[in-house]
Amino acid sequence: MDVYTQLVQDVYIPRMVRCEQTFENPTIEQKDVPEVILQQIRQPDFDKLVQPGMTIAIPCGSRGVHNIFTILKTLVDYCKEKGAKPFIFPAMGSHGGSTAEGQLEVVNGFGITEESIGCPIKSSMEVVPIGQTEEGHTVFIDKYASEADGVILVGRVKPHTAFSGPYESGLMKMMTIGMGKQHGAEVCHKAGFKHMAHLVPLFGNVILKNAKILYGLAVLENAYGGTAYLHALHREEIPEEEPKLLLRAKELMMELYIKKVDVLIVDRIGKNYSGDGSDPHVTGAFLTPYAHGGIEAEKRVVLDLSDETHGNALGVGVFDATTKRLVERANFPLSYPNAITCTELKAAKIPMVMQSDKDCISVALKTANGMDEKHPRVIRIKNTMELTEILISEALIDEANAHPKMKVIGEPEYMQFDENGNLW
């Protein structure tokens, strides 16, 4: 037995009970997406912007936006119906390996091909200057987009995981970093996340002023990952309306209603759950001090990687301890490019590595300062995207029963470990 295992072998691991959390769930079904979009963009003040013969550039980002194919297909078909010539272009900063081929692969991965979407897809990393900020930065956008007669923006509005401000992920960021390609991503990231909330609208407003932006389609998703709202915004409306949509997006997010625990156990992290592996707006474990939210936990542990992340362990560094199993599954060279690009190397660090799930949980309980050892406050979640059913320790039952959006649905049981100390 390892020395560290001996140190934690007698730690009390509390009984856990299943608990349901409920969330607001406004939803636009996939079959209704075209109608919702067309009702807005066929209004005269939008409809007049797309004219016969115009080339229309429509961006596609790298994040897995729900119903993205249907959204883009609706816009493409509408433009063609108007006699315009639409095309899709990747707008994803440095993602896709910072190559035109890699970014095209990302777009194709969403099922968006020239055949399926019904228009050309123009992928290039070439950018051209579009103007200068009042602070002297030269602002660049995608070459193809700059040559088009008009651009219809599409972007999901949601909180960013590394900075907070009036504009986070959304249309402004889509223009600044997405359409700015590697150059836009590099300029903003080199300045650091401390300055991102300032730079995103600074660059975005230059693009709104100088590029041929027709309007934007803002996408909001509900807590379950479905499409909640679709809002068409005139270019002049974007600076004022996007911050309001961001506030609504924050209201729709999944969260843990119990805000203070001794230990948070996360079964799996992965890029399929969050760009950071786990959503810090849930865990409270942010890569930078420039974003806030989530729960307060004395210790946080992660037990494994998702299959879908293919070994990308980005984000494991924000946890206090992990398992040997996770480290053995990790492909760290695959994880490093994201950390290098965003300049936050903490994301790829390795926390304390324990032999088993039991040891990992035990070391967190052993080192949680100020904890009532007989009544530890513990939450266990599958990942940061599935929070409708969680496990809470007995010490949290009264608090859960008192919350209007929580319901205890089981009886307390001890966690079951196999002969190797891993959870069944």
Side-chain angles (χ1 to χ4, degrees), residues 42 46-54 76-84:
R42 280 183 173 154
F46 284 99
D47 200 44
K48 68 182 181 182
L49 298 173
V50 177
Q51 297 293 322
M54 291 176 64
V76 167
D77 289 348
Y78 164 78
C79 290
K80 290 166 68 176
E81 176 190 307
K82 294 278 292 180

Side-chain angles (χ1 to χ4, degrees), residues 53-74:
M54 291 176 64
T55 54
I56 306 295
I58 305 172
C60 179
S62 58
R63 300 304 185 191
V65 177
H66 192 64
N67 287 325
I68 188 60
F69 177 85
T70 303
I71 292 167
L72 296 182
K73 178 67 171 171
T74 300

Side-chain angles (χ1 to χ4, degrees), residues 8 20 22 42 119 135 179 234 255 262 291 299 344 363-364:
V8 301
E20 282 186 347
T22 57
R42 280 183 173 154
C119 73
E135 296 177 5
M179 289 172 57
H234 289 289
E255 60 179 307
D262 299 309
K299 291 292 186 291
E344 293 296 334
V363 77

Side-chain angles (χ1 to χ4, degrees), residues 139-152:
V139 181
F140 292 81
I141 65 169
D142 178 272
K143 179 177 181 292
Y144 289 124
S146 74
E147 295 171 346
D149 297 315
V151 178
I152 298 176

